[in-house]
Amino acid sequence: MLALGTVLYSSCKHDYLEVQTIKADITTDKLYSNYTYVQQQMWNTYSYLPDGFADLDLDAATDEAEATNSVERVQTFNYGTWNQYTNPDDVWAKNFDGIRQANLFLKNKGTIDINYIKDKITSTDSTAYFNARNNVKFMEGEALFLKAYFYFELVKRYGGVPIFEQPLDYKDAASWKNVQRNSVDEVVKYISSLCDKAAAIIPANLSPYSWYDAGRVTQGAIKALKAKALLYGASPLFTSNGSTTTWAMAASALHDVIALGNYSLDANYSNLFGANNTTSGEVIFYRRYGSTNNIEYNNFPIVFQNANGNSITPTENLVSDYEVLVKSGTTITGSVPFDWNNPAHAAAPYANRDPRFATTVTYNGKSFKSTTIETFFGGNSGLPRQNATKTGYYLSKWVNSSIDLINNTTTVHSWIYFRYADILLSYAEAMYNAYGADADPQGYGMTALQAINRVRARSTMPALTAAQLNQTAIEHERNVELSFENNRLWDVRRWKKGTSYFSKPANRIDITGAGVYTVKKLEDRVFTQKMEWYPIPQAEISKTGWTQNPGW
């Protein structure tokens, strides 16, 4: 812990808060009595949040995508060769380290000294002192939220995990010897309680506190985290493992986010994934990376010089899930599922698709940087070119086409943890399962059907009817709206449908220069029921003697 500031600075140098190095020889007591150092420790705690863009490859462990790089870590998931000894997404230690940092602040918050600021006041203006006093209080709310977030990251992977109120040192094996795992139900309730405590500290209106940095925790973020935890808690995987959370409880928590009135759907879906996305009224909580171009180097079509081909490419499984608009002239009259067996669809497979398709996917014939992308065999971005897409598609979402790879230009990127469309779709799911398609017995002001149709309407998709709204429709809408936003891996698991979605072959589109499209199997995928939960790392089992998660 003494060297934490120095160690973590390198890991979060692209984070949204400016982190300064803390001297490694500072004692714990002195560290937490010094206001400046405490602030830096809080910013360091933020660095344990998920690295969204670094984890973009995890979508290739779902039916949404394939990794072009044959040695990408997600291939271990797809081949089914991961286990308690080797897990490419083992975040156990990282999140418990983050929990320790949050607990250190919560334990020592009463020792923080800001009197020196008061002593420096030489006029009647004591603003600096009162700002510092408020900041110390707000940091308590941030610590509670971050701790809840880290527990959410753990419970959705591993199920029940131990709850720590004290800053237990994860690296000290002896301190874990007699620790017991809490139940899934206890962890979900604990996350909810932490969020309630944080929401009582961070005010809903932060406008009077101009010094409170953009990107820090807000009440909207706190309520969104609680709502998402309860959505998971009410889902089949969690309830079948003892969770007592109900769909009605989840719907109530999601309504609390909506009722804040602070968020709205962006009129343009594409705005959410560009350089200015943090200014959108749809974005609730995000991580700012600064100016980078790694995403573009990895995911530009291979026709562009310096594109490295280390891409995460959409599968035909995902592409086929985007509906086809039915039109009378220019008027949209309805929509139907895409079907390769429909001659009209097969003749022009990318025409009149759900507009979210073009934002998410770069496909054969699409213009990208004034270049027509050719993913057919022998095309400028197709096989057999080295590092060309294996699926016949490239990723468009998050990729900024203004980047010039030759001149190494950069642009700001920000990863969205929570956005309003996700809240509405989650609300629709919870309300549907609690009350049906078009009932609102609690007087929330919105039914499940109205919520899902608001999201569809933003992208000019025709409204569903009550008869059309079911669990399958909800799963479809989440897939096309939230693809490549680190949801699919967990949605499918919490629905207990991994053996339906993730064990099917990943498909590609094979295209000839003559424009003949054929769906072909890219690879078989392996997913068994035991994979709904990650295995507890064997090192922890050896230390604690816990029973391993079933099947592992």
Side-chain angles (χ1 to χ4, degrees):
M1 192 297 241
L2 301 180
L4 179 70
T6 303
V7 173
L8 284 188
Y9 179 66
S10 62
S11 68
C12 61
K13 59 188 176 183
H14 296 306
D15 215 346
Y16 46 74
L17 296 173
E18 187 66 27
V19 181
Q20 302 298 321
T21 304
I22 299 172
K23 296 178 181 178
D25 59 350
I26 295 175
T27 64
T28 302
D29 289 344
K30 187 173 182 180
L31 176 68
Y32 281 96
S33 65
N34 184 296
Y35 176 58
T36 300
Y37 289 161
V38 167
Q39 289 182 94
Q40 299 309 322
Q41 287 299 85
M42 179 53 63
W43 310 162
N44 281 329
T45 307
Y46 273 87
S47 73
Y48 290 96
L49 287 168
D51 187 341
F53 288 119
D55 290 339
L56 192 61
D57 64 324
L58 290 177
D59 278 291
T62 78
D63 53 349
E64 285 184 347
E66 166 70 357
T68 302
N69 189 337
S70 61
V71 296
E72 180 66 55
R73 61 171 176 165
V74 294
Q75 305 296 4
T76 304
F77 282 113
N78 296 332
Y79 300 152
T81 56
W82 57 296
N83 52 42
Q84 60 267 46
Y85 302 97
T86 304
N87 182 345
D89 184 40
D90 181 11
V91 299
W92 182 277
K94 175 184 175 182
N95 282 286
F96 275 113
D97 281 340
I99 289 165
R100 171 173 164 77
Q101 294 313 309
N103 278 337
L104 279 167
F105 176 90
L106 295 170
K107 179 182 179 180
N108 293 283
K109 59 184 172 58
T111 67
I112 301 171
D113 181 16
I114 60 171
N115 286 322
Y116 75 94
I117 300 175
K118 188 189 325 185
D119 295 340
K120 289 181 179 179
I121 297 174
T122 58
S123 68
T124 59
D125 185 2
S126 55
T127 302
Y129 174 76
F130 288 114
N131 286 350
R133 189 179 67 178
N134 285 330
N135 196 31
V136 170
K137 186 63 178 175
F138 291 172
M139 283 192 286
E140 180 183 355
E142 291 173 277
L144 290 165
F145 167 87
L146 291 169
K147 183 179 178 181
Y149 203 115
F150 303 143
Y151 268 114
F152 179 60
E153 288 297 298
L154 289 165
V155 74
K156 72 183 185 182
R157 288 172 168 84
Y158 304 101
V161 295
I163 292 174
F164 296 135
E165 295 287 0
Q166 296 298 319
L168 187 66
D169 187 357
Y170 166 77
K171 295 181 177 62
D172 179 4
S175 68
W176 284 71
K177 203 166 191 177
N178 298 313
V179 166
Q180 298 300 311
R181 291 171 68 183
N182 288 80
S183 68
V184 169
D185 191 49
E186 288 169 334
V187 177
V188 171
K189 287 178 178 176
Y190 187 62
I191 293 169
S192 178
S193 70
L194 290 173
C195 289
D196 286 342
K197 292 175 183 177
I201 295 170
I202 305 291
N205 180 14
L206 285 165
S207 59
Y209 310 98
S210 58
W211 46 266
Y212 195 80
D213 301 286
R216 291 175 70 176
V217 172
T218 63
Q219 192 169 115
I222 296 165
K223 289 183 180 296
L225 175 59
K226 175 183 176 179
K228 196 147 194 174
L230 293 183
L231 178 78
Y232 278 52
S235 298
L237 176 62
F238 285 70
T239 55
S240 65
N241 282 272
S243 174
T244 59
T245 302
T246 65
W247 289 113
M249 293 165 62
S252 176
L254 288 154
H255 168 256
D256 287 344
V257 183
I258 297 167
L260 288 171
N262 293 338
Y263 308 105
S264 59
L265 293 173
D266 197 300
N268 188 337
Y269 181 70
S270 298
N271 289 344
L272 296 166
F273 314 106
N276 298 314
N277 61 348
T278 59
T279 65
S280 172
E282 185 167 337
V283 175
I284 299 174
F285 188 53
Y286 60 89
R287 176 173 181 158
R288 211 162 50 206
Y289 284 72
S291 289
T292 63
N293 54 22
N294 292 338
I295 299 164
E296 288 72 26
Y297 271 104
N298 290 340
N299 291 289
F300 262 34
I302 205 67
V303 65
F304 295 101
Q305 186 176 340
N306 291 342
N308 64 26
N310 192 28
S311 51
I312 304 300
T313 59
T315 59
E316 181 57 43
N317 309 54
L318 172 65
V319 170
S320 289
D321 209 19
Y322 290 94
E323 297 165 56
V324 178
L325 296 171
V326 178
K327 296 182 178 180
S328 176
T330 58
T331 303
I332 298 172
T333 59
S335 63
V336 295
F338 178 82
D339 184 0
W340 281 107
N341 293 318
N342 182 320
H345 292 182
Y350 309 129
N352 296 320
R353 300 295 287 271
D354 179 333
R356 291 170 290 192
F357 166 64
T359 296
T360 306
V361 180
T362 296
Y363 50 88
N364 185 61
K366 182 178 179 179
S367 179
F368 188 99
K369 290 183 71 70
S370 301
T371 298
T372 299
I373 303 303
E374 301 169 348
T375 63
F376 56 79
F377 190 86
N380 60 28
S381 293
L383 295 170
R385 290 197 59 172
Q386 186 177 10
N387 296 327
T389 172
K390 298 176 183 176
T391 65
Y393 302 103
Y394 288 91
L395 182 64
S396 181
K397 183 182 278 192
W398 302 114
V399 177
N400 194 318
S401 63
S402 70
I403 290 293
D404 182 344
L405 297 184
I406 296 176
N407 292 304
N408 197 33
T409 63
T410 60
T411 189
V412 171
H413 294 80
S414 297
W415 179 264
I416 302 172
Y417 292 119
F418 304 133
R419 63 182 176 94
Y420 190 57
D422 187 3
I423 296 298
L424 288 175
L425 292 179
S426 299
Y427 176 85
E429 181 178 354
M431 287 290 286
Y432 171 78
N433 283 287
Y435 309 115
D438 52 6
D440 180 20
Q442 303 300 320
Y444 293 146
M446 194 188 319
T447 65
L449 185 64
Q450 288 169 330
I452 199 169
N453 281 335
R454 286 189 185 186
V455 177
R456 288 175 64 85
R458 184 260 298 279
S459 295
T460 67
M461 292 301 295
L464 300 177
T465 65
Q468 291 173 315
L469 182 57
N470 52 32
Q471 182 62 29
T472 300
I474 289 167
E475 293 171 12
H476 158 80
E477 202 64 31
R478 288 188 68 83
N479 193 29
V480 298
E481 172 73 24
L482 303 172
S483 59
F484 298 98
E485 297 180 51
N486 197 21
N487 283 284
R488 185 70 171 173
L489 196 69
W490 314 115
D491 278 345
V492 170
R493 280 179 162 83
R494 67 180 176 86
W495 294 327
K496 288 182 67 70
K497 293 191 175 180
T499 54
S500 297
Y501 287 117
F502 294 167
S503 63
K504 291 180 178 178
N507 292 329
R508 65 184 179 90
I509 191 67
D510 182 81
I511 314 171
T512 68
V516 177
Y517 293 77
T518 307
V519 178
K520 293 186 177 180
K521 182 173 72 174
L522 174 62
E523 68 180 21
D524 289 313
R525 297 278 179 91
V526 176
F527 190 97
T528 60
Q529 187 175 359
K530 70 177 184 179
M531 297 174 184
E532 291 170 343
W533 295 120
Y534 283 9
I536 303 296
Q538 186 59 39
E540 307 312 321
I541 298 293
S542 300
K543 277 188 281 188
T544 61
W546 294 337
T547 299
Q548 180 58 274
N549 280 338
W552 294 103

